[in-house]
DNA sequence: CGTTGCTTTGATGCCCGTCAATGATTGTGG
DNA sequence: CCACAATCATTGACGGGCATCAAAGCAACG
């Protein structure tokens, strides 16, 4: 199931060739990759690797959630991406990791030595293609994130965040979304303070666009109106 | 010379293998790529490709400067990257471009059909490696940009921008930097308004950290102090 | 049931955006 | 070569959105 999620990760940016092969044998490259790895467990709020570490392993999430972030020396933090079961990461750098990966809840991963992954990439064209597609997808995600951080208001950012959660789950109006990250993580992802995130969420709640039964769930009440606020296709 | 610039583009993130091959024959993969392409010219402020277009070509800049940007429907713009002679772009997407490329001054490029580039990638391992390294580098650049947009102040952003210009030219205190982009472009790159950029530049000028002889040049007067303000290695 | 950590809400202030005017530079036609 | 317009850059005045500071809710835990 986690395999399946990863195979469907970046269909939009997959090359024709990669798509054909993945289509023919959905988890082909990935199962080969996973065969090279071993399971590892990380507890809540533990570091998987740090910015600057030698990039010895690539990872695939089996269960849990991971945040990728960069820090300034004074402690300011920017989260680049949240990753969930099925997502693949750590293959994006050749020498050293350029950011830090932390488990934000108890997380199980498959850990694959980079040397082996590189060798597999040499041998198998489909694996090479898949890595390329994943990279392209990450880049595309990052570029949309740039637009959000540089040019959107606090309300728009929070709405975009909710819509991104909804898109991942293919949620419709009425569906409930799991929110595994705390408010501070959301703030650091959106380039805001925790208070501003709270206020924006409360505002959406008052406007009946979302419901907030508790701190780890959000109910999508009016998807169309949310999309209207975000202002561009998410 | 532009070839050389591209070969040295991402040494920090190049794999040992890629480095060895590139080291042995510096412009090997790139000259092969360029042989597949044809020259094209774009006048100032013309569009090379638009967000959503079919990704038919990849490009390498021979002369000039290009901006990659994303737009919101109401006109707000975020520039993801400035590219200069030697830089390679447009290979980052498999189906459609995910952002818009515009010439910000008269620009000459080598235009390579994507189909040919993909074929060359299949045949030549070093080309595949080079593309991978370029992608990784772009991703790393984007992630640093996220930190800038999400967590740095206006002054820090402008200083980071100046330092990035300086780094590209390996400039030392006293050196003059060419600034081919207008203030509005800088603002859209830094997620600020043009007025805030101007004020920050003026402030740096008053503090004798930089000199501004005219709108297209900046003189680095105190590199160490600038680095101090930016707060992290650039 | 108190403690602890996270979240929410309120009060206040500041950084940066907005609006506006002036200055500097470039291009054009007489 | 100059006059003029057009464009871009700079500076100032002002206001708003978000950060900061502070306190009160609220759920999970021992």
């Amino acid at each position: 199931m986690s395999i399946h999620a990863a195979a469907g990760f970046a269909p939009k940016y997959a090359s024709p060739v990669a798509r054909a092969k993945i289509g023919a044998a959905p988890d082909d490259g990935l199962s080969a990759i996973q065969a090279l790895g071993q399971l590892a467990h990380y507890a809540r709020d533990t570091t998987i690797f740090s910015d600057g570490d030698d990039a010895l392993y690539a990872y695939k999430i089996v269960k849990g959630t991971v945040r990728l972030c960069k820090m300034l020396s004074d402690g300011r933090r920017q989260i680049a991406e949240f990753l969930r079961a099925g997502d693949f990461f750590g293959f994006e750098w050749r020498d050293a990791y350029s950011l830090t990966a932390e488990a934000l809840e108890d997380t199980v991963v498959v850990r694959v030595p980079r040397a082996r992954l590189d060798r597999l990439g040499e041998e198998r064209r489909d694996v090479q293609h898949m890595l390329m597609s994943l990279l392209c997808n990450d880049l595309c995600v990052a570029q949309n994130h740039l637009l959000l951080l540089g040019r959107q208001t606090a309300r728009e950012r929070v709405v975009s965040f909710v819509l991104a959660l909804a898109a991942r789950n293919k949620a419709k109006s009425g569906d409930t979304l799991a929110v595994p990250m705390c408010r501070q993580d959301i703030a650091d992802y959106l380039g805001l303070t925790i208070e501003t995130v709270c206020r924006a969420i409360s505002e959406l709640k008052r406007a009946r666009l979302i419901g907030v039964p508790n701190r780890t769930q959000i109910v999508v009440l009016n998807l169309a109106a949310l999309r209207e606020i975000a202002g561009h296709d998410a």
Side-chain angles (χ1 to χ4, degrees), chain A:
Chain A
M1 171 237 163
S2 63
I3 293 171
H4 192 74
F9 192 85
K12 192 172 171 188
Y13 305 96
S15 77
V17 175
R19 245 192 278 124
K21 295 211 173 168
I22 289 176
D27 51 6
D28 203 17
L30 269 167
S31 62
I33 288 174
Q34 285 186 77
L36 298 177
Q38 53 189 331
L39 288 177
H41 180 272
Y42 294 91
R44 184 167 181 275
D45 280 328
T46 56
T47 301
I48 300 172
F49 57 75
S50 296
D51 189 348
D53 286 357
D54 284 349
L56 298 177
Y57 299 98
Y59 301 82
K60 178 167 181 302
I61 303 179
V62 175
K63 176 177 161 295
T65 312
V66 169
R67 59 175 174 253
L68 299 181
C69 51
K70 289 193 78 81
M71 312 270 295
L72 288 172
S73 44
D74 60 7
R76 281 176 288 177
R77 186 178 71 156
Q78 177 62 45
I79 294 179
E81 214 173 338
F82 291 113
L83 302 170
R84 300 171 64 176
D87 289 345
F88 200 55
F89 67 99
F91 64 97
E92 300 98 329
W93 306 279
R94 299 224 148 246
D95 263 5
Y97 298 116
S98 66
L99 36 71
T100 299
E102 296 166 332
L104 61 83
E105 55 188 345
D106 282 12
T107 297
V108 178
V109 300
V110 181
R111 199 175 63 177
V112 182
R114 286 294 311 269
R116 288 199 189 177
L117 181 61
D118 288 342
R119 223 180 306 136
L120 187 66
E122 303 287 345
E123 292 164 8
R124 296 185 49 161
R125 193 127 301 166
D126 60 339
V127 170
Q128 186 68 255
H129 271 282
M130 198 198 58
L131 294 178
M132 206 67 163
S133 292
L134 292 176
L135 260 181
C136 288
N137 189 71
D138 275 2
L139 187 59
C140 187
V141 166
Q143 286 162 349
N144 285 317
H145 201 177
L146 289 178
L147 182 60
L148 180 145
L149 293 177
R151 289 302 180 209
Q152 293 193 264
T153 65
R155 186 206 282 124
E156 288 170 342
R157 295 184 204 196
V158 172
V159 169
S160 293
F161 175 74
V162 173
L163 287 176
L165 281 183
R168 250 183 197 279
N169 299 33
K170 299 185 173 40
K172 310 187 172 193
S173 287
D175 290 0
T176 298
L177 305 169
V179 185
M181 60 289 286
C182 68
R183 297 292 188 263
Q184 184 62 62
D185 282 341
I186 298 174
D188 285 345
Y189 177 78
L190 297 176
L192 300 169
T193 60
I194 187 173
E195 294 93 335
T196 300
V197 170
C198 276
R199 276 186 257 269
I201 288 176
S202 298
E203 188 194 343
L204 295 175
K205 189 177 167 186
R206 274 194 301 276
R208 312 277 181 204
L209 300 183
I210 62 173
V212 188
N214 60 61
R215 52 187 64 172
T216 63
Q217 289 187 317
I218 288 179
V219 185
V220 180
L221 296 180
N222 191 336
L223 200 53
L226 290 171
R227 290 217 174 96
E228 194 67 27
I229 293 176
H232 72 119
D233 35 80

